[in-house]
Amino acid sequence: MKILEYRRALHQIPELDRDLPETLAYLTGVLSPMKCALSSPIPGSLCAFFDFGREDAIAFRSDADALPIQENTGLPFASRHPGNMHACGHDGHMAMLLDLAAWLDKQESLNHNVLLVFQPAEETTGGARDLCQSGVFEAHRVRCIFGMHLWPELPAGVVASRKHELMSRSCEVSVTITGRSSHIAKAEEGIDALAAGVAFYRRAAAMEQALPPEIFRLLKFGRMESGTVRNAVSGRTVLLGSLRAFQDEVFLSLRDGLQEIARQVEQETGCTVQVRTNDGYPAVWNPEDLYDQVRAAGVSFSQLEKPVMISEDFSWYQRHLPGMFFFLGTGPSPALHADDFHFDEGVLETGAAFWKTLAAAL
């Protein structure tokens, strides 16, 4: 079966970020004989345009980069690149798009032209944003884009999605609290950074918990470091955590709230409190009208009850043009990003069939 051949060949040549020469060479080798125009709008990318003479196009995206993980699957087609592994299923995503390309190559007519997008740097710096800025979607008059991710938390072969919230906006939160250390017997000479850290943590948790339960969000700290020895007042505390939400206003309110808590703790304790956050990715948010259009076209998929708190840079496409994202269940399998990640390869045919149904129905 060709789709397994694609997946297994790509699985053996995992590459990182935007440096994907072997991956692009393989993709180009498969696509070059087909009736599509190939281009590379940004470094590490490959686009295949199938022209059916229509006024506009629909796009399908696959991420193409891998992870810096030493593979531990024991598969006969395991990674040939030490320290690199397709541990997030991007090899499967590419295989499904190549199978869709082979089907498109045999079609005489569709309602829309089709653009296939193989994207670098999903795991690192957000290659999706750069592709949006490249002008490729305007050049091909793309009206909407679709993406899919293998998902171990769903039964094998189940394609699922939901309106509105699907995957969260996220950022890392780093809090550094600086006080003054002293011997604990002379605690009055110190400025207790540990006590200030506890106060910051409690207020941050209370702020998040005060939001209504129907607002999906998360503000948690996974690591706290403070002090040096048991009999000295701590002079420094570090808290490391994550902020995730779906609506920008909720995300920004919580982020700004952390800064306000920092100011309060500084005033009350005498410590210096610095809160740093990075940009992260926006939320993956499926627009209602596109969701309804896919349903109305007769494309069948399951409904997810709740969104997930993991991020994906497909969100950049959705900020640029209408886009919808799906999960493809793998059934019981190791976790994504695990060094032994593998899955039932039979689901790839199901995912590719879903893409063909969608391309034909719209």
Side-chain angles (χ1 to χ4, degrees):
M1 191 179 299
K2 276 289 186 180
I3 196 167
L4 298 188
E5 179 184 318
Y6 299 149
R7 187 260 163 157
R8 293 178 181 186
L10 289 162
H11 188 82
Q12 295 178 68
I13 54 171
E15 296 170 300
L16 306 181
D17 197 29
R18 299 165 193 264
D19 187 19
L20 313 177
E22 288 188 60
T23 302
L24 294 179
Y26 182 83
L27 295 172
T28 301
V30 174
L31 292 165
S32 290
M34 300 183 191
K35 56 183 182 186
C36 60
L38 300 181
S39 63
S40 180
I42 64 170
S45 71
L46 183 66
C47 292
F49 182 65
F50 289 82
D51 190 347
F52 294 99
R54 302 303 184 182
E55 290 295 320
D56 60 13
I58 59 176
F60 296 86
R61 170 268 201 169
S62 170
D63 28 23
D65 56 328
L67 288 158
I69 293 173
Q70 180 63 42
E71 182 164 350
N72 187 33
T73 62
L75 293 169
F77 52 89
S79 170
R80 300 199 308 259
H81 294 173
N84 293 354
M85 178 188 174
H86 272 299
C88 198
H90 296 185
D91 51 343
H93 303 166
M94 289 186 283
M96 290 188 288
L97 231 57
L98 289 176
D99 194 68
L100 172 61
W103 178 83
L104 290 168
D105 191 49
K106 297 175 183 176
Q107 305 309 302
E108 296 299 326
S109 177
L110 284 178
N111 293 329
H112 305 278
N113 304 324
V114 178
L115 180 70
L116 305 184
V117 179
F118 296 89
Q119 175 213 308
E122 190 279 325
E123 299 286 3
T124 52
T125 54
R129 176 167 47 182
D130 296 334
L131 273 165
C132 290
Q133 296 170 349
S134 73
V136 65
F137 299 116
E138 289 76 15
H140 295 296
R141 300 186 300 278
V142 174
R143 69 178 187 87
C144 59
I145 187 169
F146 300 97
M148 182 184 291
H149 205 298
L150 295 175
W151 209 248
E153 297 174 28
L154 288 172
V158 169
V159 178
S161 191
R162 72 190 309 272
K163 285 183 184 179
H164 303 153
E165 305 102 329
L166 183 67
M167 304 179 80
S168 70
R169 179 174 178 175
S170 70
C171 74
E172 296 175 346
V173 179
S174 301
V175 183
T176 302
I177 300 173
T178 305
R180 183 171 63 239
S181 185
S182 69
H183 193 283
I184 209 159
K186 298 181 179 181
E188 69 279 1
E189 297 178 4
I191 301 176
D192 194 340
L194 175 56
V198 171
F200 184 98
Y201 176 88
R202 287 178 172 170
R203 292 183 190 185
M207 174 181 66
E208 186 262 352
Q209 291 165 11
L211 291 174
E214 63 269 18
I215 295 178
F216 297 107
R217 81 286 179 178
L218 178 149
L219 174 59
K220 298 289 184 185
F221 292 90
R223 186 168 184 174
M224 182 176 183
E225 300 175 353
S226 189
T228 54
V229 293
R230 71 175 68 230
N231 62 344
V233 169
S234 172
R236 187 172 186 268
T237 296
V238 175
L239 291 114
L240 303 177
S242 180
L243 167 60
R244 298 169 186 246
F246 293 89
Q247 293 93 344
D248 284 348
E249 58 270 24
V250 174
F251 181 90
L252 295 174
S253 175
L254 289 169
R255 192 181 67 179
D256 292 346
L258 290 173
Q259 297 291 349
E260 177 57 29
I261 291 170
R263 286 190 286 270
Q264 293 172 3
V265 172
E266 280 189 335
Q267 292 173 358
E268 295 169 12
T269 66
C271 291
T272 299
V273 184
Q274 183 182 47
V275 178
R276 298 186 305 278
T277 57
N278 62 359
D279 289 337
Y281 293 159
V284 174
W285 184 284
N286 290 330
E288 186 170 344
D289 53 352
L290 183 57
Y291 179 99
D292 291 341
Q293 183 182 348
V294 172
R295 284 288 196 198
V299 180
S300 177
F301 57 91
S302 297
Q303 173 73 21
L304 284 174
E305 181 181 350
K306 293 181 178 180
V308 300
M309 287 294 176
I310 296 173
S311 298
E312 229 280 357
D313 83 338
F314 187 84
S315 54
W316 288 116
Y317 297 118
Q318 294 177 314
R319 295 264 171 134
H320 192 72
L321 73 165
M324 187 170 176
F325 203 68
F326 301 88
F327 294 146
L328 172 61
T330 64
S333 71
L336 297 171
H337 290 213
D339 65 0
D340 60 345
F341 176 70
H342 184 47
F343 58 92
D344 175 3
E345 292 177 308
V347 305
L348 297 178
E349 191 172 3
T350 302
F354 181 82
W355 280 156
K356 296 167 194 175
T357 299
L358 186 55
L362 291 182

